[in-house]
Amino acid sequence: MSELDILRQVFGYEAFRGPQQAIVEHVVSGGDALVLMPTGGGKSLCYQIPAIARQQAGRGTTLVVSPLIALMHDQVGALHEAGVEAAFLNSSLSGEEAAQVERRLLRGELTLLYAAPERVTTPRFLAQLDALAARGQLALFAIDEAHCVSQWGHDFRPEYRALTVLHERYPAVPRIALTATADALTRADIVERLQLENAQQFVSSFDRPNIRYTIVEKKDALTQLLRFIEREHAGEAGVVYCQSRKRVEEVAAALVEAGLNALPYHAGLEAGVRQQNQDRFLREDGLVMVATIAFGMGIDKPDVRFVAHLDMPKNIEGYYQETGRAGRDGAPADAWMAYGLQDVVNQRRMIDESPAGEDFKQVMRGKLDALLALAEATDCRRVRLLGYFGEKSEPCGNCDNCLHPPAVRDGSELARKLLSCIYRVQQASGISFGAGHIMDILRGKQTEKVSQYGHESLSTFGIARDSSESELRAVLRQLIAIGAVAVDGGMFNTLQLTEGSRAVLKGEVQVQLRESVAAPAAKRNRRSAAPAAAAQELGVDDQVRYINLRAWRAEVARAHNLPAYVIFHDATLAEIARRRPQSLADLQGISGIGAKKLEAYGADVLRVVGEGS
Ligand code: ADP
Ligand code: ZN
């Protein structure tokens, strides 16, 4: 079978995505490859299709090295469903089960074998590979999550270093290494550590066009979140990231209170509970996971429709990785963040109080500033995001700023008032103060603290009487974002002038303020193609069929102990409901229905469709 035939018949997909075809062809013909593709880009097929093609050409088994035990089970399950012989070897298997997999491997029955890195480099396993290699039955090495080999990456795994043994021992076997980590330092490290100097590099755009980026000003975060979910994602799966365990618990409880199906996830939960919550998220429909960043690594659920940040992440890398978990299936998804002054202050404090060295802190502050600049941006978010990763692009039309360009106003005058106030107060009292007090002085509020320090006699007292507190906060955020004000992360979060203040005071740098814009609700409801949205667009009869199909899928998934999406994606079920197939032939060609699934489930699907008519 050609590569395209495999894509169509085995996986049921019509066409390759982006660089998949070039990668697949290169690897099938025996070349080495390093693949950099964003999360959801479709990395798995880049080695699964070559594995099938090379197996069919009589070249034997592909070994997939993967660090995530939890994921192997579902991946192998998905391959089974597609009719591909695959198995995994990891510590979750009993001795007898592992021995059975080894026998299948040696008999040449497996197209793909998934194994954890520490297993691969044991003498016992290498002896088995020797036996296969002697017969020319080692088709390909696929090294997934290849950034684990680098300590610059975020999940360094020392065991990955030992994987060079594969290349040294079996130099004739082609290798493909894959990662979603973009930065140049990590990439260079992967090449060196895995001796991939001669591998062709396939670097995809890191853009995720189906993800819509929205960053809103935090007012009442929980209410804003609830409104966002209810308006845009009722009944859909999503992840809500919070900074602390305590906040995770509170928010999860509040969502449940509001009638949503939500669960908490953080490192403080007992391991069993954590595992159970994760399993439920993967297997149930429409569950919202409220989590710290402990959650997410290796979650390849394709139909996560939104990722919300209730607290600001540490840097753009983190933001991009976390939001990247939305919309892996390519259907529209949202990355939504609420952010406010307090987030800035908190993050600064965490950096200042960390035990790291001053150099490291300086790097962290720089990264935080880049994220602040993104949050405060009045132009296209995607252009800024991609720019951060060194990619040039045009305004995207699918972020809040593109869809509802914020009215921009010159806030330079107000910014100068604010800066002079910080200066005067510092000069008069010899100490600096926090944002609240500075704003009180500017607005001429006669508070206890103002009297205590005699600040009503300052020349800046009341000079911004006409400005609202939220306006002043906006100016302050902008000033922090452009580095013209520093927040001392000590106990009192006091505000200080910086080198950058001067340029603003002199009028050399403009401060742009975005007027808060309420996103017009009507416009936003016109989404299409998202599973639930797709279902909403179905006629009443089609919807009944869709619901019946989902119920049937849930039963099958339970019986097979697999997540529902491994059986069929939502989009596939919606398409079936819409087409009302009468025969197996009608089912053919629907995206996501390969030959094996047609054979295994076709009759059942027709029956369910028939019952709904
Ligand atoms: P990654 O590992 O890069 O994050 P995956 O390999 O999990 O991404 O793929 C993401 C989703 O996209 C999966 O649900 C997969 O089935 C789907 N997919 C991948 N390639 C294609 C394609 N050519 N056509 C349609 N769907 C695809
Ligand atoms: Zn945009």
Side-chain angles (χ1 to χ4, degrees):
M1 269 196 274
S2 75
E3 290 96 38
L4 189 60
D5 288 340
I6 296 174
L7 178 76
R8 291 188 174 156
Q9 290 185 26
V10 178
F11 296 96
Y13 296 137
E14 189 47 34
F16 282 110
R17 250 195 218 159
Q20 277 177 335
Q21 181 163 10
I23 297 166
V24 165
E25 281 172 4
H26 181 74
V27 175
V28 168
S29 63
D32 289 345
L34 173 59
V35 173
L36 294 102
M37 215 183 246
T39 305
K43 282 186 285 300
S44 317
L45 291 186
C46 293
Y47 60 82
Q48 288 171 348
I49 291 180
I52 296 166
R54 288 177 70 82
Q55 164 79 293
Q56 286 177 351
R59 291 178 182 275
T61 304
T62 289
L63 174 66
V64 185
V65 182
S66 163
L68 300 161
I69 291 180
L71 232 129
M72 290 184 201
H73 173 262
D74 291 350
Q75 287 243 3
V76 166
L79 286 165
H80 271 178
E81 293 293 324
V84 181
E85 291 298 331
F88 59 80
L89 272 179
N90 61 38
S91 54
S92 75
L93 297 183
S94 69
E96 176 44 39
E97 287 168 327
Q100 199 182 343
V101 171
E102 287 169 357
R103 282 195 295 275
R104 289 181 66 200
L105 173 69
L106 290 173
R107 285 201 299 259
E109 291 171 13
L110 297 175
T111 302
L112 294 109
L113 175 68
Y114 285 73
E118 56 275 14
R119 165 86 55 160
V120 168
T121 48
T122 58
R124 176 190 169 98
F125 190 74
L126 287 173
Q128 291 166 359
L129 292 186
D130 284 346
L132 290 178
R135 288 186 260 138
Q137 289 301 297
L138 265 181
L140 173 68
F141 295 128
I143 301 168
D144 206 3
E145 313 287 353
H147 59 274
C148 292
V149 77
S150 169
Q151 54 186 340
W152 306 115
H154 32 85
D155 323 289
F156 177 46
R157 295 282 202 116
E159 314 88 77
Y160 260 64
R161 293 272 165 94
L163 291 176
T164 45
V165 70
L166 295 178
H167 179 51
E168 284 155 4
R169 213 164 161 125
Y170 315 107
V173 178
R175 293 175 302 156
I176 174 172
L178 310 101
T179 176
T181 300
D183 76 280
L185 197 57
T186 311
R187 193 194 309 174
D189 212 26
I190 294 172
V191 168
E192 189 188 326
R193 296 281 175 188
L194 293 176
Q195 300 171 7
L196 284 166
E197 288 83 359
N198 296 323
Q200 184 163 338
Q201 295 195 13
F202 295 88
V203 183
S204 307
S205 163
F206 269 69
D207 188 18
R208 299 284 311 281
N210 60 314
I211 297 183
R212 175 176 297 179
Y213 299 97
T214 301
I215 302 179
V216 303
E217 192 187 333
K218 198 186 274 187
K219 291 182 185 125
D220 175 358
L222 202 52
T223 311
Q224 288 172 290
L225 174 71
L226 271 171
R227 208 167 40 215
F228 163 71
I229 296 178
E230 276 161 10
R231 249 200 220 163
E232 317 245 342
H233 295 289
E236 296 181 328
V239 182
V240 177
Y241 282 110
C242 305
Q243 204 170 56
S244 66
R245 298 171 185 187
K246 182 162 158 277
R247 189 136 154 94
V248 164
E249 294 289 351
E250 287 166 9
V251 172
L255 293 189
V256 169
E257 176 91 349
L260 293 173
N261 192 7
L263 288 173
Y265 188 102
H266 57 73
L269 289 172
E270 194 222 313
V273 176
R274 223 160 55 212
Q275 186 62 45
Q276 196 184 348
N277 287 1
Q278 173 169 326
D279 283 347
R280 282 189 58 191
F281 179 72
L282 292 177
R283 282 163 171 66
E284 284 178 29
D285 279 332
L287 207 137
V288 177
M289 188 68 107
V290 184
T292 60
I293 53 168
F295 179 74
M297 168 78 168
I299 298 299
D300 67 351
K301 185 176 168 64
D303 55 357
V304 175
R305 293 271 66 86
F306 68 92
V307 168
H309 281 93
L310 266 197
D311 300 306
M312 197 167 69
K314 282 188 178 50
N315 50 44
I316 292 186
E317 287 92 338
Y319 173 74
Y320 204 65
Q321 202 185 12
E322 284 142 32
T323 55
R325 293 174 184 139
R328 291 168 83 114
D329 53 9
D334 271 296
W336 182 93
M337 175 162 88
Y339 120 103
L341 195 52
Q342 197 56 41
D343 286 301
V344 183
V345 170
N346 287 344
Q347 291 286 2
R348 288 267 168 191
R349 179 172 0 176
M350 285 196 340
I351 295 173
D352 290 343
E353 288 175 357
S354 88
E358 194 46 43
D359 285 359
F360 187 78
K361 287 184 183 177
Q362 213 45 50
V363 173
M364 299 310 278
R365 287 192 196 105
K367 287 184 179 238
L368 175 59
D369 289 345
L371 179 58
L372 280 181
L374 172 73
E376 284 297 327
T378 51
D379 51 4
C380 177
R381 309 268 189 207
R382 195 179 312 267
V383 167
R384 293 207 172 221
L385 263 177
L386 294 174
Y388 183 81
F389 295 115
E391 225 178 297
K392 274 201 165 34
S393 61
E394 295 294 316
C396 71
N398 192 28
C399 71
D400 53 354
N401 287 348
C402 282
L403 289 164
H404 318 288
V408 181
R409 186 159 61 83
D410 186 14
S412 307
E413 177 65 29
L414 202 50
R416 280 194 287 275
K417 289 180 178 170
L418 207 146
L419 291 175
S420 353
C421 189
I422 295 173
Y423 177 73
R424 293 277 168 236
V425 172
Q426 157 89 34
Q427 208 186 29
S429 313
I431 52 170
S432 25
F433 290 82
H437 185 59
I438 299 288
M439 290 191 291
D440 285 344
I441 298 173
L442 282 163
R443 300 180 65 211
K445 279 170 81 177
Q446 192 70 56
T447 65
E448 212 170 292
K449 204 169 183 177
V450 166
S451 328
Q452 187 190 341
Y453 289 96
H455 285 159
E456 63 273 58
S457 63
L458 292 174
S459 60
T460 52
F461 185 76
I463 53 168
R465 219 172 233 116
D466 301 336
S467 304
S468 67
E469 185 178 323
S470 84
E471 247 174 320
L472 283 171
R473 275 185 191 278
V475 176
L476 191 52
R477 283 198 313 268
Q478 285 281 355
L479 287 171
I480 296 171
I482 63 175
V485 168
V487 183
D488 174 3
M491 202 161 21
F492 302 109
N493 303 313
T494 58
L495 302 180
Q496 259 131 25
L497 298 192
T498 67
E499 280 297 304
S501 312
R502 197 190 315 257
V504 177
L505 282 166
K506 282 187 174 164
E508 290 164 7
V509 168
Q510 300 271 305
V511 175
Q512 299 286 349
L513 290 187
R514 54 184 300 152
E515 310 265 15
S516 6
V517 279
K523 253 195 184 163
R524 306 207 45 153
N525 288 335
R526 271 191 307 134
R527 311 214 143 165
S528 55
Q536 277 162 18
E537 281 169 15
L538 296 173
V540 179
D541 287 356
D542 296 348
Q543 278 207 32
V544 172
R545 268 188 288 280
Y546 179 67
I547 291 165
N548 290 344
L549 284 164
R550 278 170 68 117
W552 164 81
R553 179 183 67 177
E555 265 170 49
V556 177
R558 235 189 324 273
H560 294 207
N561 186 26
L562 286 170
Y565 60 79
V566 166
I567 311 298
F568 285 122
H569 285 186
D570 287 348
T572 304
L573 295 188
E575 189 57 24
I576 296 171
R578 191 176 297 121
R579 286 209 205 170
R580 310 171 197 193
Q582 306 286 324
S583 67
L584 289 179
D586 294 344
L587 282 171
Q588 224 151 15
I590 293 181
S591 179
I593 308 186
K596 174 73 193 296
K597 286 188 181 175
L598 186 67
E599 183 194 314
Y601 302 124
D604 278 355
V605 166
L606 292 176
R607 175 179 56 73
V608 176
V609 168
E611 283 166 2
S613 306

